[in-house]
């Protein structure tokens, strides 16, 4: 199945100069494009998934669709201060400054097989922090699924001890 790269719009200098923002809104408007993208991000058929974990905010769009199709639950990882119950947090460095993400402590049970999902794998800092949270709660990452990988940023080695599924590589 050929994925249509024109459904991913590159916006220059957003949200700040020098960033080439990958805009997935054209993809979201195209139902067959979404279907193909979901298919490309699915784990191998013999992989059992107990929970899909999606990262705020664009991991909340296709993540729950993947969970529905895998017949499992969805768990959000959010920016610090957004989740109401008891949380576990992880911080990581950005180009300038740092960021902190959180997960509910009771969202993952020890031994749960987790599919981690986000829209873009860029430097990998967000995904690495998310893996830390999942594993700190006793979860086992069985697949990392992204809509887009920015290959030039070379994040793959940071997480390639897990199977990785990517729909679009740039
Ligand atoms: P990173 O931690 O560098 O891998 O960045 C991943 C996170 O930042 C994802 O949650 C993306 O939503 C966002 N992100 C990073 N770079 C881009 C980009 N060029 N276009 C759109 N989103 C991006």
């Amino acid at each position: 199945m050929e994925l249509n790269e024109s459904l991913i719009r590159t916006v220059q200098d957003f949200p700040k100069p020098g960033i080439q923002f990958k805009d997935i809104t054209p993809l979201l408007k195209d139902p067959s494009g979404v279907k193909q993208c979901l298919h490309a991000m699915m784990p191998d058929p013999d992989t059992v998934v107990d929970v899909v974990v999606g990262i705020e905010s664009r991991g909340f769009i296709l993540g729950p669709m993947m969970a529905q199709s895998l017949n499992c639950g969805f768990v959000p990882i959010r920016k610090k201060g957004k989740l109401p119950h008891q949380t576990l947090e992880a911080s990581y460095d950005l180009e300038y400054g740092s960021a902190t993400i959180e997960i509910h402590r009771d969202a993952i049970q020890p031994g749960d097989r987790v599919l981690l999902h986000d829209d873009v794998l860029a430097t990998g800092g967000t995904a690495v922090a998310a893996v830390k949270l999942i594993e700190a709660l006793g979860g086992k990452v069985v697949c990392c699924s992204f809509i887009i990988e920015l290959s030039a940023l070379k994040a793959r080695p940071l997480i390639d001890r897990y199977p990785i599924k990517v729909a679009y590589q740039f």
Side-chain angles (χ1 to χ4, degrees):
M1 221 183 328
E2 190 64 26
L3 286 153
N4 178 1
E5 287 195 359
S6 70
L7 293 176
I8 307 295
R9 176 164 55 193
T10 301
V11 181
Q12 304 293 339
D13 299 320
F14 181 86
K16 50 186 179 183
I19 306 281
Q20 296 194 18
F21 190 86
K22 295 298 182 193
D23 176 18
I24 61 167
T25 61
L27 170 69
L28 298 177
K29 275 188 74 181
D30 186 307
S32 71
V34 168
K35 201 177 276 182
Q36 288 178 358
C37 178
L38 288 167
H39 181 76
M41 292 195 299
M42 280 297 171
D44 292 336
D46 57 348
T47 303
V48 180
V49 179
D50 298 309
V51 63
V52 172
V53 170
I55 301 174
E56 185 174 2
S57 56
R58 288 182 297 277
F60 294 177
I61 302 171
L62 299 193
M65 291 191 202
M66 295 182 80
Q68 272 291 303
S69 116
L70 290 163
N71 198 29
C72 68
F74 176 81
V75 165
I77 283 183
R78 298 206 62 183
K79 288 160 190 152
K80 187 176 170 67
K82 302 281 188 186
L83 288 171
H85 199 50
Q86 291 181 342
T87 61
L88 191 66
E89 66 178 49
S91 296
Y92 56 100
D93 290 330
L94 299 172
E95 202 178 347
Y96 301 102
S98 68
T100 302
I101 53 175
E102 293 184 320
I103 192 168
H104 274 147
R105 284 180 179 269
D106 62 359
I108 290 174
Q109 304 309 311
D112 275 353
R113 291 157 292 194
V114 176
L115 183 150
L116 175 64
H117 166 71
D118 200 3
D119 64 332
V120 176
L121 178 66
T123 66
T126 311
V128 166
V131 165
K132 263 187 212 156
L133 290 176
I134 292 162
E135 293 184 339
L137 293 175
K140 183 176 180 304
V141 177
V142 295
C143 189
C144 297
S145 297
F146 303 93
I147 301 173
I148 296 160
E149 175 183 10
L150 303 179
S151 309
L153 297 178
K154 297 187 167 57
R156 192 170 271 258
L158 301 175
I159 52 167
D160 69 358
R161 58 192 183 281
Y162 312 109
I164 300 174
K165 299 287 178 181
V166 166
Y168 296 90
Q169 276 180 311
F170 292 96

